[in-house]
Amino acid sequence: MTADLAAVVLLLAVAAYTCAGGTDYGAGFWDLTAGGAERGKRPRWLIDHAMAPVWEVNNVWLIFIFVIMWTGFPTFFQTVFSALWLPLALAAVGLLLRGAGFAFRKVSRRLAGRRLYGAVFAVASLVTPFFLGAAVGGVASGRVAAGTEAAADAWANPTSLLFGLLAIATTAFLGAVFLSGDARRFEASDLIGYFRRRALASLGVLAVLAVITLFVIADDAPHIRHGLTHGAGLVFVVMAGVAALATAGLLLRTPGTWVRVTAVAVVASGVIAWGMAQRPYLIPTSLTVAEGAGASGTLTWLMVVTLVALVLVVPAVVLLYWLDAHGELEALTDADLRKADGPDGDGAAGTG
């Protein structure tokens, strides 16, 4: 029972990272495709302002995933990271380069430097989700098993390729949806329609890729295909489809808060559908949840620590998102600083 609970927590953490981190990766995708310096100036301006307050916090969920994996399911962790070390290493490098590129392009004084760091940020935002998706595809297709040596076939296969493309399409979809709302918040009326059209297009691409994936995994990952078309997996697939239709309908109008909710529902439902389809396996069809779980005492304490962490972390993250959504985290401009300074430079405006 404790092992099943830990597996559910792990799946929910993956869904949280896919939604939160995916939104930021999607912003990087649209940064990459925004065009040249002049054409892409306005979209990149919005991306910088929208991401700046919250982009680092999303990696909390990735760290949480790793802790659950290596503590609660050590056999699973060892198997995955042994067989898939190359795509995971490439994803990790992309993650680091992405963060460095985003940070340095904001402070670089030379145009050449800003372009270089911007390109690093944008390309890494594309590479990282692809390799993470490819690694998940290797697990889902059952090509990874205890004792499997690292090989290209573990992640360079039809299921992995499609999962990688799905990851990119998912991040592009989430990024465009959230940026359309941010455009409204920043009163950038020209960018509302810009990102709304891209959200609709990426949703269409995501739907097409999902259908293609269902056909491909019929032979390449039959256990997953069966799970997605039966039982709890099918329920969440239907939920994702309904949420996708609702999102499309909302995007055809001026986007508001609810379109973000339905977009997150699309992605979260899809991730949970995949998790339900794998039951009772961590790695189909060679490692069950019970076989991959750690000691009972370890799992019990892991769940206790998880509960404490969630009580402490989730309210803080929710508060951060709320402050960002209400414009309370905007960086001070030179004009703001001049207003704050009094005539004597002591910060007491108007008291001279």
Side-chain angles (χ1 to χ4, degrees):
M1 179 63 74
T2 308
D4 291 335
L5 178 60
V8 170
V9 172
L10 177 59
L11 178 60
L12 293 177
V14 171
Y17 182 66
T18 304
C19 294
T23 303
D24 279 351
Y25 289 128
F29 176 88
W30 296 118
D31 189 292
L32 179 65
T33 58
E38 189 61 33
R39 179 185 174 189
K41 183 178 180 180
R42 288 282 289 166
R44 292 189 179 104
W45 166 83
L46 179 64
I47 289 167
D48 280 347
H49 280 72
M51 284 184 58
V54 297
W55 69 279
E56 291 179 293
V57 74
N58 295 321
N59 289 323
V60 168
W61 301 113
L62 184 60
I63 295 170
F64 187 49
I65 290 168
F66 288 157
V67 171
I68 295 292
M69 283 183 66
W70 78 55
T71 307
F73 303 98
T75 302
F76 179 49
F77 181 86
Q78 180 184 10
T79 300
V80 169
F81 277 79
S82 295
L84 298 169
W85 70 267
L86 182 55
L88 291 173
L90 291 172
V93 171
L95 189 66
L96 292 173
L97 291 177
R98 179 179 179 275
F102 183 71
F104 286 133
R105 85 163 175 181
K106 293 174 66 67
V107 298
S108 179
R109 295 185 177 182
R110 296 185 178 182
L111 177 60
R114 289 197 297 272
R115 286 179 173 174
L116 173 62
Y117 294 129
V120 170
F121 160 70
V123 173
S125 296
L126 184 71
V127 169
T128 302
F130 174 81
F131 282 116
L132 288 175
V136 171
V139 173
S141 63
R143 287 179 168 85
V144 177
T148 301
E149 295 183 0
D153 181 64
W155 59 276
N157 57 74
T159 299
S160 289
L161 175 61
L162 282 167
F163 271 49
L165 293 176
L166 279 169
I168 293 173
T170 296
T171 61
F173 164 61
L174 285 172
V177 168
F178 275 73
L179 285 169
S180 66
D182 287 324
R184 204 173 94 178
R185 175 161 63 94
F186 286 107
E187 298 181 350
S189 57
D190 57 315
L191 294 177
I192 297 175
Y194 176 92
F195 281 112
R196 185 170 58 181
R197 290 190 297 272
R198 282 154 178 76
L200 282 166
S202 54
L203 178 59
V205 171
L206 181 59
V208 171
L209 284 173
V211 172
I212 294 173
T213 300
L214 281 175
F215 282 102
V216 170
I217 63 175
D219 293 324
D220 204 48
H223 180 82
I224 298 296
R225 167 61 184 269
H226 182 271
L228 290 173
T229 54
H230 296 80
L234 177 59
V235 171
F236 281 99
V237 168
V238 172
M239 289 175 61
V242 171
L245 291 174
T247 303
L250 291 170
L251 284 170
L252 292 173
R253 301 182 295 174
T254 303
T257 301
W258 279 107
V259 72
R260 293 186 171 191
V261 174
T262 57
V264 168
V266 172
V267 177
S269 296
V271 172
I272 296 173
W274 158 64
M276 293 295 102
Q278 285 203 178
R279 292 185 308 166
Y281 296 102
L282 291 169
I283 302 176
T285 53
S286 62
L287 184 68
T288 66
V289 170
E291 292 168 346
S296 177
T298 301
L299 287 171
T300 299
W301 279 108
L302 177 63
M303 291 299 95
V304 172
V305 172
T306 296
L307 179 61
V308 173
L310 290 177
V311 169
L312 295 176
V313 172
V314 170
V317 172
V318 171
L319 176 61
L320 177 65
Y321 288 150
W322 186 90
L323 291 172
D324 178 51
H326 287 77
E328 299 293 334
L329 302 178
E330 291 300 307
L332 293 176
T333 64
D334 290 340
D336 293 327
L337 294 175
R338 285 194 294 270
K339 290 178 182 178
D341 285 334
D344 298 324
D346 60 358
T351 60

